[in-house]
Amino acid sequence: MPERRTVALVTLGCARNEVDSEELAGRLEADGWELVEDAEDADVAVVNTCGFVEAAKKDSVDALLEANDLKGHGRTQAVVAVGCMAERYGKELAEALPEADGVLGFDDYADISDRLQTILSGGIHAAHTPRDRRKLLPISPAKRQEAGASVALPGHGPAELPQPAPEDLPEGVAPASGPRAPLRRRLDGSPVASVKLASGCDRRCSFCAIPSFRGSFISRRPSDVLNETRWLAEQGVKEIMLVSENNTSYGKDLGDIRLLESLLPELAEVDGIERVRVSYLQPAEMRPGLIDVLTSTPKVAPYFDLSFQHSAPDVLRAMRRFGDTDRFLELLDTIRSKAPEAGVRSNFIVGFPGESEADLAELERFLNHARLDAIGVFGYSDEEGTEAAGYDGKLDEDVVAERLARVSRLAEELVAQRAEERVGSTVRVLVESVDDTDEGDGVYGRAAHQAPETDGQVLLTSGEGLSVGRMVDAKVVGTEGVDLVAEPLRGSLAWTEEAGR
C-alpha cells in the first residue's frame, strides 16, 4: 500500500489564485495525495503567494515563515512557495527566503506531484529564473490559442494532462472536460466559486507588473467554462464569479470580442446555478451590448466591478489609462438607466507621481457623484519593473499617506450613504453562513450588488427554514456601514420553493 502523503494549500491574494489552488489540489489528489486543511497536519505545506503589491508580498512571506515554524513541531516536513510571487521572483525569492524548501513557478504546475515528492524526499528542485511571460505568446491575439497549448496557463490546463482516466479520479475531482480544461478539487463547501474566464493582460498600465508574470491575454474556450460551471453546480455551487485580469477582453483571441455577451446567458441556464457574476471590467472597453446583457439577463447579476483607478485626466494618462470624471459618470448613468439598483465597485490609487491637489479634488468630485457601493483606496508605491517606478514627480510618503487617509474617510462615508439608499428595497440574498446558537451572529448572505469578501454583506433578521446555499428575497430595513440588514419575505418564490415550503 502506498505511503500516505498529505498536503495543505494556503492561498493568499485574489480569486484567481483561489482557482489556481483548486487546480493544484485536483492534480495532487488525482495522483494520490491526501488534502488536509491545516498546514500542521500536512507533510508539505504549499503556500500560493501573491506578488501584486508590497503588502501582499509581505503577507506571502509571513505565511511561508509561519508554515516553516511548524517544521520540527509536528507532521510538516517541507514548505513550498507557488503562485505569483514565486513566479515573479523565482531564484531571487529562493535565495532571500531559504526557509522555503522549494519555489515553484507556473511551469511546474503540470508536474506538481513529482515536484513535491522530490522536495519531500530531500531532493532539490532548482527555482526558475524569472522571465517576461508576455513573450511566450504571439503578439497577435488571433494566433495565441494554438501557441498557448504549449505554455503553462494556470486555470486553463495543458494540452494533455498526465492524469488517470476520468473514471479513475477520486470523488470530488473534476475530470478534464476539454483540450485545455484543468483538473479541479474544491477546497471548501462555499456555495460560491470562481471560474477563470481568461489569463493574462494586454494592457500596459504604468503602475502594474501583473502582465509581466501572468503573461499576455488568452481566453478559455466557452465549452470549458460551461463544463466547469456544470461540474461546480453538481458540487452544490449556487453562484459563480467569472474572474480574469480583464474580462471585457474575453473572446478577442477567439475571433469574437462579444463572446461574453453570448456566454453569459448560457452560464445562467446551467441547472443549479442561481447567480452569475462578472468581475474586473475595464471602463474603456465597456460595450453597449455587454451592458445590456449584464443588466437584463435573468440570474446574471447587474454588477459592475469597474477598474477606474482615478478620474483626473492627467493622472489617468500618466497611468496609461483612458477616461475622465464626466465620461465615467456618463457610463454609470447608462448602467443605472437600465438597472437602477445595479451594484458598482471600483479601486483607486492616490498619490500617483505628479498628482496635484486639483487632481485629487477631481477624484473627490467623481466619488461624490458616482454613488459606488464599494470603494477600495490604495496609496501609490513604486512597483519594481513598472514604468511608473521611473517617473519624476514622486510625492513624499507622508503626503501619500495623508491623501490615502483623506480619500479613505470620504469613501467610507459614501459607501455607507449608498447602503442607506437601499433601505426599503428588495434584495435577493444568497445565504452563506447560518449560526442559530445563542452565541452565534445570525444568518449572513450577499445580495446581487455584493461580491464575495469585498463589498459587504446582508444580515438577515430571521433564519427560519434557511440554510447555506439558499436564495431568499428580503426587504432591506437597516444598515451597518456598508452592510445591509434585511427581513426575509416569507411569501417570496425563493423562500417557498428553495426552503421547501
Side-chain angles (χ1 to χ4, degrees), residues 4 6-11 29 34-46 70 76 185-189:
R4 178 174 178 256
T6 58
V7 58
L9 285 149
V10 180
T11 307
E29 191 163 83
E34 179 182 343
L35 298 170
V36 295
E37 186 173 343
D38 297 323
E40 62 185 357
D41 298 326
D43 296 315
V44 183
V46 177
L70 297 173
T76 309
R185 173 69 158 87
R186 296 220 67 206
L187 292 174
D188 61 37

Side-chain angles (χ1 to χ4, degrees), residues 36 38 50 149 165 209 223 233 246 268 313 342 381 418:
V36 295
D38 297 323
C50 178
S223 58
N246 178 10
S381 61
R418 177 62 179 143

Side-chain angles (χ1 to χ4, degrees), residues 371-390:
R371 297 170 58 228
L372 302 179
D373 291 279
I375 301 171
V377 188
F378 302 89
Y380 173 81
S381 61
D382 285 339
E383 191 63 30
E384 58 188 293
T386 63
E387 182 182 355

Side-chain angles (χ1 to χ4, degrees), residues 187-237:
L187 292 174
D188 61 37
S190 169
V192 185
S194 295
V195 175
K196 191 168 285 191
L197 196 61
S199 289
C201 185
D202 288 341
R203 302 187 72 87
R204 295 296 179 263
C205 300
S206 63
F207 56 84
C208 183
I210 289 176
S212 66
F213 56 85
R214 276 290 185 179
S216 296
F217 185 89
I218 186 165
S219 305
R220 292 183 67 196
R221 295 189 177 278
S223 58
D224 288 339
V225 177
L226 276 164
N227 285 333
E228 187 170 342
T229 299
R230 293 186 182 107
W231 176 79
L232 287 167
E234 292 171 358
Q235 306 303 304
V237 169

Side-chain angles (χ1 to χ4, degrees), residues 99 142 166 194 390 421 464 484:
E99 291 86 352
S194 295
E421 291 179 18
E464 183 184 355
L484 304 181

Side-chain angles (χ1 to χ4, degrees), residues 7-68:
V7 58
L9 285 149
V10 180
T11 307
L12 295 97
C14 65
R16 298 184 292 275
N17 257 16
E18 293 171 5
V19 176
D20 293 348
S21 285
E22 293 197 348
E23 176 188 349
L24 293 174
R27 291 178 180 276
L28 289 167
E29 191 163 83
D31 201 47
W33 290 78
E34 179 182 343
L35 298 170
V36 295
E37 186 173 343
D38 297 323
E40 62 185 357
D41 298 326
D43 296 315
V44 183
V46 177
V47 180
N48 191 349
T49 61
C50 178
F52 181 35
V53 293
E54 285 304 317
K57 287 183 276 190
K58 181 182 183 304
D59 288 343
S60 295
V61 170
D62 289 345
L64 287 163
L65 293 175
E66 183 178 341
N68 181 70

Side-chain angles (χ1 to χ4, degrees), residues 191-193 237-241 273-275 277 430 446 452:
V192 185
V237 169
K238 299 299 182 182
E239 176 181 327
I240 62 163
M241 185 167 72
I273 295 299
E274 294 294 333
R275 181 182 290 155
R277 185 182 305 277
L430 172 62
R446 287 178 301 100

